[in-house]
Amino acid sequence: MFRYAIVVSVQPARFEAATFKGDLEANLAEIAALGYDGVELAIRDPRQVDDEALVQMVDKYGLAVPAIGTGQAWGEEGLSFTDPDPDVRRAAVERVKQHVPLAARWDAVIIIGLLRGVVRPGVSHEQAMSWLIAALKECATAAATAGVRLALEPINRYETSLINTVEEGLTLIEAVGADNLGLLLDTFHMNIEEPSIEGSIRKAGKRIFHFHVADSNRWYPGAGHLDFASILSALAATGYQGFVSGEFLPRPDASTAAREAIRFLRRLPLPHN
Ligand code: LER
Ligand code: MN
């Protein structure tokens, strides 16, 4: 039923929950050997990536690429859709468009996480939302020409002041009005923000384009107190056909976390698991 992936950073990154960093080929070999079906690739700047070499390397290990993460352009360079500087906003939009060709090759969703930015001092929430809507419209239109989908991730209040909940995400999607814009749900953020994780999954329904799993403490699933049998049953009941992607802290180390996660997830009492 579910296929499982895990986050791997292609370029150096400070983001802690990108589980694997460093030697990409060694990481891909290890992930494939652990029994994962795919890798979610975090790419800061696609212009610095050799597309052919990357596609071949991932292919060599028989892995799918269900999603491309873009948040490092925020984490490392400060790009965002809602910066008061129009040049920074433009650069953020262009950066998302630059991900489209590679996303199209893998049929991967492009993740819009922290690249949306935060409400900066001196900027009203209304102004930030209007920049965000305009940026998403432009990115969704560009992606649609290549049949690519975008997945906006509600992120907890300690990381952003824009779109913390599924409900806010769905309202934003309606305002943008693009069929190829959906949500990425992340159990770590949902545990902080949603009144009911399962209820919000049901509410998001067919708009769920991608799914991140981490436990309540952002360790691998099984290391905290989230009820993954219940959460993933709710996800399955929406008809979700995509990947469940592990985005958790590399603790006690990346290899142990990845091994424990896939063992735990594959043993859950889910239909056809
Ligand atoms: C990225 O997928 C995420 O979940 C955020 O916490 C990034 O900071
Ligand atoms: Mn996430």
Side-chain angles (χ1 to χ4, degrees), residues 55-129:
V55 167
Q56 274 184 30
M57 195 193 283
V58 173
D59 262 9
K60 180 173 162 191
Y61 295 98
L63 293 163
V65 181
I68 294 175
T70 60
Q72 289 167 15
W74 158 265
E76 312 293 316
E77 297 173 68
L79 300 190
S80 95
F81 290 163
T82 52
D83 195 281
D85 181 343
D87 292 340
V88 174
R89 296 200 298 275
R90 171 76 1 230
V93 168
E94 294 306 323
R95 184 63 62 86
V96 170
K97 291 183 185 173
Q98 286 151 3
H99 283 284
V100 169
L102 206 42
R105 288 188 70 158
W106 283 314
D107 196 22
V109 301
I110 299 175
I111 296 172
I112 310 292
L114 285 173
L115 198 59
R116 65 164 147 309
V118 300
V119 183
R120 294 278 197 200
V123 174
S124 68
H125 195 271
E126 198 185 357
Q127 174 65 79
M129 285 302 289

Side-chain angles (χ1 to χ4, degrees), residues 120-179:
R120 294 278 197 200
V123 174
S124 68
H125 195 271
E126 198 185 357
Q127 174 65 79
M129 285 302 289
S130 131
W131 283 333
L132 176 56
I133 291 166
L136 286 171
K137 277 185 180 164
E138 186 175 342
C139 292
T141 303
T145 61
V148 168
R149 300 183 305 160
L150 307 180
L152 179 96
E153 182 177 36
I155 289 179
N156 80 75
R157 68 190 70 183
Y158 306 107
E159 294 186 56
T160 181
S161 39
L162 281 166
I163 316 298
N164 304 126
T165 64
V166 165
E167 196 161 306
E168 288 166 347
L170 291 172
T171 305
L172 174 63
I173 285 171
E174 203 143 296
V176 173
D179 286 344

